[in-house]
């Protein structure tokens, strides 16, 4: 399975600065077959960036979209509108769950809309610091995964990528470093939930990413976790040296294997 490295630019970079970053990434990152590199800029710059990137080198992702295809929903952009523009949409990021009150039910509808529009959703799941301290991690992950996938068939699940992002490890919040040994059992849990829902083979084929303060120094440790297929990178993805360093590490590991 190819490694997937996704750069979530969050609400950073205007059109000019985004274009500058793309030029630098284009210079630094070589086309490689073993790693998919995906950029997730803000909604406004998706279109201009799509014309500037080499699509053989970079995929594109939106950071959010609305689950209804069309209608009177002021301020929203639908998956239908994005379907010819992006390969992925990030769904259920913890910043959306926390700042915009996105519930598991809202996220389920977005996952369904994404798949309906033939876009791969990157479903983000993860426990908060408080949930971790109360030993609720496994229950939280179970609820998030089962609700989000509730309306999908086993063919549709093929398109879904899941990113485990412990909220306490995301730079926006506490930004603590998670130990790779803490992550592995949660990856196993996610695959076992998917296996219970859709069978062993579907679970084996599921692409699982790690996210939470990943940098070029720490990425290899996470990519070496059993069952890890890539990384969702936030803060470090808008620094071209850091992000191309992360991609380099991913190539190096893949080429060694
Ligand atoms: C993210 O935005 O998904 C993320 C993991 O952010 P950071 O790498 O900054 O922790």
């Amino acid at each position: 399975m190819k490694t997937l490295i996704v750069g979530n630019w969050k609400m950073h970079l205007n059109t000019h600065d985004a274009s500058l970053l793309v030029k630098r990434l284009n210079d630094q990152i070589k086309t490689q077959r073993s790693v998919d590199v995906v950029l997730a800029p803000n909604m406004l710059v998706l279109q201009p960036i799509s014309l500037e990137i080499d699509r053989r080198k970079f995929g594109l992702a939106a950071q959010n979209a609305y689950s209804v295809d069309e209608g009177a929903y002021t301020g929203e952009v639908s998956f239908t509108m994005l379907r010819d523009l992006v390969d992925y949409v990030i769904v259920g990021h913890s910043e959306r769950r926390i700042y915009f009150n996105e519930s598991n039910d809202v996220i389920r509808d977005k996952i369904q809309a994404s798949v309906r529009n033939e876009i791969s959703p990157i479903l983000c799941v993860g426990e908060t610091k408080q949930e971790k301290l109360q030993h609720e991690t496994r229950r939280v992950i179970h609820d998030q995964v089962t609700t989000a996938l509730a309306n999908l068939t086993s063919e549709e699940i093929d398109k879904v990528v899941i990113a485990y992002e412990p909220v306490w490890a995301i730079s926006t919040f506490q930004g603590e470093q998670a130990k790779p040994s803490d992550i592995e059992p949660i990856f196993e849990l996610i695959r076992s939930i998917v296996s219970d829902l859709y069978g062993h083979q579907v679970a084996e084929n599921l692409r699982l990413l790690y996210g939470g303060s990943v940098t070029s120094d720490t990425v290899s440790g996470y990519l070496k976790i059993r069952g890890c297929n890539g990384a969702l990178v936030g803060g470090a993805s808008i620094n071209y040296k850091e992000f191309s360093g992360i991609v380099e590490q991913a190539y190096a590991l893949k080429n060694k294997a």
Side-chain angles (χ1 to χ4, degrees):
M1 198 182 293
K2 279 177 142 185
T3 301
L4 176 59
I5 304 290
V6 184
N8 172 17
W9 295 1
K10 310 197 185 201
M11 201 179 70
H12 294 295
L13 309 179
N14 59 21
T15 312
H16 175 264
D17 294 342
S19 171
L20 216 60
L21 177 59
V22 160
K23 277 195 190 72
R24 289 182 165 146
L25 292 175
N26 245 327
D27 290 345
Q28 295 281 322
I29 293 175
K30 297 177 217 73
T31 317
Q32 297 264 351
R33 288 230 197 119
S34 54
V35 180
D36 283 328
V37 183
V38 173
L39 308 176
N42 68 64
M43 204 63 99
L44 180 67
V45 303
L46 265 177
Q47 183 94 46
I49 292 294
S50 77
L51 304 173
E52 288 173 29
I53 54 170
D54 178 347
R55 292 302 284 254
R56 288 164 304 181
K57 201 186 270 194
F58 298 107
L60 263 191
Q63 297 172 17
N64 178 42
Y66 191 52
S67 51
V68 178
D69 288 344
E70 196 186 340
Y73 298 96
T74 302
E76 293 298 306
V77 173
S78 71
F79 287 87
T80 313
M81 290 162 174
L82 290 168
R83 64 184 289 163
D84 296 325
L85 189 58
V86 302
D87 312 286
Y88 299 87
V89 175
I90 298 171
V91 176
H93 192 282
S94 53
E95 289 150 18
R96 296 213 59 84
R97 291 179 189 262
I98 292 167
Y99 299 142
F100 302 97
N101 297 319
E102 285 194 12
S103 66
N104 284 335
D105 288 349
V106 164
I107 290 159
R108 175 199 57 217
D109 292 348
K110 291 188 176 194
I111 294 285
Q112 205 182 356
S114 184
V115 169
R116 182 170 71 238
N117 284 287
E118 295 178 350
I119 300 171
S120 282
I122 301 172
L123 166 66
C124 299
V125 298
E127 80 286 6
T128 62
K129 174 93 179 193
Q130 197 184 359
E131 288 161 345
K132 178 178 153 73
L133 292 174
Q134 290 169 346
H135 306 288
E136 291 201 72
T137 300
R138 297 178 78 82
R139 181 196 58 76
V140 169
I141 301 295
H142 187 273
D143 289 354
Q144 290 176 340
V145 173
T146 49
T147 309
L149 303 183
N151 291 339
L152 302 188
T153 65
S154 53
E155 282 90 61
E156 289 172 331
I157 190 104
D158 238 27
K159 272 201 131 3
V160 178
V161 177
I162 299 184
Y164 172 51
E165 302 205 304
V167 177
W168 47 271
I170 294 186
S171 59
T172 322
F173 302 101
Q174 281 86 4
E176 292 171 31
Q177 283 297 327
K179 291 201 272 323
S181 55
D182 294 336
I183 308 304
E184 191 167 317
I186 307 301
F187 277 2
E188 281 168 12
L189 171 68
I190 295 171
R191 278 196 208 277
S192 81
I193 296 167
V194 173
S195 178
D196 288 346
L197 293 170
Y198 296 99
H200 176 71
Q201 201 50 51
V202 172
E204 283 298 297
N205 295 342
L206 175 75
R207 280 180 299 167
L208 263 181
L209 312 183
Y210 173 70
S213 302
V214 172
T215 63
S216 57
D217 288 336
T218 59
V219 68
S220 322
Y222 295 120
L223 293 179
K224 283 181 193 156
I225 299 170
R226 188 144 30 100
C228 182
N229 309 116
L232 177 51
V233 183
S237 70
I238 55 171
N239 175 322
Y240 78 97
K241 283 192 184 146
E242 266 301 308
F243 193 63
S244 45
I246 288 169
V247 173
E248 280 287 318
Q249 298 284 332
Y251 290 152
L253 270 183
K254 210 60 188 179
N255 293 341
K256 235 198 275 169

